[in-house]
Amino acid sequence: MTQVTIRDVIVGNDRPLTVIAGPCQLESEDHAQMIAGKMKEACAAAGAQYIFKASYDKANRTSLSGKRGLGIDQGLKVLQSIGKAMDVPVLTDVHSDTQCAIAADAVDVLQIPAFLCRQTDLLLAAGNTGAAVNVKKGQWLAPWEMGNIVDKIKSTGNEKILLTERGTAFGYNTLVTDMRGLPQMAQTGYPVVMDATHAVASPGGKGTSSGGQREFAPVLARAAVSIGVAAVFIETHEDPDNAPSDGPNMIYLDHMPDLVATLMKFDALAKQHPMTF
């Protein structure tokens, strides 16, 4: 079973839970520092490992009018400052092979969006940076197909790979999560992450934006952690209904300390009694 070291965080399916959390998109440096600070405190109190996440560019918005974020230049400066000021690993999305090396100079984990998970040039460029690479499973992809994606990244000599479940397309504007996919992806030998907030999104459900059911995000997080995963990915905001993106499925920031504490209890039980397949 591979463990991935990211700064002083060791991510593994047999390791204490890592929480990957932050706002959907960067709004400002002060806002990002506020969320990172509160999440770091909540995770430390519960005994969870922590990685901050935020996107400098939301390149796959539903409509042309959707807000995209601070952009790569300003956004990476903010993300780099968060990593230094808060002393935490930082994750962000990349959308093209040309962005990978630039982003890897500023953050610790490059995330491949679900829509781009089979783009060979993007995967190779991300792998070649030497940074950890988190790949979100496409909404149309079977979990056992993630082995092909792993092989692409491994071909660069980079084995710092994380695999994320974020739901599967189930008709129009709807996702469903098949929990069998978590142990199936774990059979690759790499850490598995559950994206509990995007899995309850309703892609394009509002016509020009996505909807979501944030009340079910903690349900999916609990279910995944009770099986035994390396990490849970949760987007959070102090005022989700007025966030620039993904508000309907983000969890309120003031709910996160209790949720993380609860997840750590499920995680302890799962890691004490690991399931074998």
Side-chain angles (χ1 to χ4, degrees):
M1 187 67 66
T2 299
Q3 296 179 345
V4 176
T5 300
I6 307 169
R7 291 203 193 187
D8 59 351
V9 171
I10 302 175
V11 185
N13 296 327
D14 56 352
R15 293 280 302 171
L17 187 70
T18 298
V19 175
I20 304 171
C24 178
Q25 69 171 256
L26 284 172
E27 298 175 36
S28 70
E29 185 169 355
D30 288 344
H31 183 255
Q33 285 190 351
M34 181 273 292
I35 292 182
K38 290 184 181 297
M39 283 306 311
K40 180 179 180 181
E41 181 180 346
C43 288
Q49 303 185 109
Y50 177 55
I51 297 174
F52 175 78
K53 67 78 51 190
S55 299
Y56 57 79
D57 179 18
K58 299 300 293 183
N60 59 357
R61 298 307 308 273
T62 302
S63 70
L64 183 62
S65 61
K67 294 180 180 179
R68 291 183 55 168
L70 298 181
I72 189 168
D73 293 332
Q74 183 182 358
L76 288 178
K77 289 179 182 177
V78 169
L79 291 170
Q80 189 171 43
S81 74
I82 297 299
K84 290 181 178 179
M86 297 292 167
D87 191 27
V88 295
V90 175
L91 173 152
T92 198
D93 302 275
V94 289
H95 303 92
S96 69
D97 53 346
T98 58
Q99 293 179 356
C100 292
I102 300 169
D105 282 339
V107 302
D108 306 281
V109 187
L110 303 183
Q111 181 164 274
I112 309 299
F115 290 134
L116 301 175
C117 71
R118 283 177 49 172
Q119 296 297 105
T120 301
D121 289 345
L122 178 58
L123 294 169
L124 296 179
N128 278 321
T129 67
V133 182
N134 181 37
V135 186
K136 290 198 173 184
K137 180 176 72 65
Q139 297 91 327
W140 67 93
L141 210 63
W144 48 87
E145 293 181 74
M146 292 295 279
N148 296 320
I149 291 168
V150 166
D151 289 342
K152 291 180 182 181
I153 300 172
K154 282 178 62 178
S155 74
T156 69
N158 187 344
E159 296 203 25
K160 294 191 288 186
I161 303 166
L162 312 178
L163 304 176
T164 295
E165 170 62 55
R166 50 95 70 238
T168 301
F170 189 70
Y172 297 124
N173 307 123
T174 305
L175 298 172
V176 65
T177 300
D178 181 356
M179 289 295 171
R180 294 175 299 179
L182 299 174
Q184 286 169 337
M185 287 198 295
Q187 289 175 359
T188 63
Y190 288 89
V192 173
V193 183
M194 178 66 208
D195 181 347
T197 42
H198 287 103
V200 299
S202 175
K206 291 187 173 182
T208 58
S209 64
S210 293
Q213 295 176 297
R214 77 168 64 95
E215 66 271 24
F216 293 116
V219 175
L220 293 185
R222 284 186 177 206
V225 172
S226 69
I227 293 171
V229 293
V232 63
F233 179 108
I234 297 174
E235 290 191 329
T236 184
H237 195 281
E238 79 283 0
D239 185 13
D241 292 331
N242 290 300
S245 62
D246 274 350
N249 47 277
M250 283 201 285
I251 294 177
Y252 283 95
L253 183 60
D254 62 2
H255 293 180
M256 289 298 292
D258 284 345
L259 177 58
V260 173
T262 299
L263 293 179
M264 290 307 294
K265 294 177 182 178
F266 282 98
D267 182 67
L269 182 61
K271 301 297 167 60
Q272 288 168 9
H273 305 278
M275 301 182 71
T276 56
F277 296 90

